[in-house]
Amino acid sequence: MHAPPAYTAETEGVVVRVRPSYLAAQSDPAAGRWVWAYQIEIVNLTGSPVQLVARRWTITDAYGHVEEVRGQGVVGEQPVIEAGDSYSYASGCPLGASSGSMVGAYYMTDVDGRMFEAAIPAFSLDVPDTRRTLN
């Protein structure tokens, strides 16, 4: 089995890579529930440590329903990522449609206390091997 494609964005030396995958075993299409996991890797290419303090997500399903999610840190942490190092975590997203997309940002601080947004690239949530129709 091969790894799913990575979606990548870089902002001010912080690289964010996302690999989504469909979780068929946790999904129940007959009940209108589809579930995806996503693996995130954040790489610090700056010359000094940065800390991830908060996140913002925009989740859109195939029906156009939009949900905004904001919160402190990720998976209960506010990691400090040293220069040249990376931080990875996994999370998930249920949808009421068989496809959708996510995009967002991490709110980071640098050693001087300056806050900046590191872009999370837009990525697609698609059930594998489904026929897609462009309208």
Side-chain angles (χ1 to χ4, degrees):
M1 182 175 204
H2 67 283
Y7 297 82
T8 304
E10 182 175 348
T11 310
E12 296 188 37
V14 174
V15 177
V16 179
R17 289 190 191 98
V18 183
R19 290 187 193 284
S21 56
Y22 178 63
L23 300 177
Q26 294 182 26
S27 298
D28 186 356
R33 180 178 165 85
W34 291 264
V35 181
W36 285 265
Y38 52 90
Q39 179 74 31
I40 303 275
E41 179 185 26
I42 304 164
V43 182
N44 181 2
L45 300 177
T46 72
S48 59
V50 295
Q51 183 175 19
L52 189 162
V53 294
R55 71 191 181 286
R56 172 183 47 81
W57 288 103
T58 302
I59 305 164
T60 307
D61 72 16
Y63 302 120
H65 173 78
V66 177
E67 182 179 351
E68 293 280 337
V69 177
R70 294 175 183 269
Q72 296 299 307
V74 291
V75 295
E77 299 181 1
Q78 292 182 314
V80 173
I81 308 167
E82 297 296 330
D85 208 352
S86 66
Y87 174 82
S88 296
Y89 73 96
S91 192
C93 176
L95 287 182
S98 62
S99 65
S101 64
M102 293 177 67
V103 65
Y106 294 121
Y107 297 96
M108 314 290 290
T109 56
D110 64 17
V111 290
D112 298 322
R114 182 182 67 91
M115 185 168 284
F116 65 97
E117 287 188 28
I120 302 169
F123 58 97
S124 190
L125 303 172
D126 296 307
V127 174
D129 305 321
T130 20
R131 184 173 173 223
R132 292 177 182 79
T133 305
L134 296 177
N135 295 322

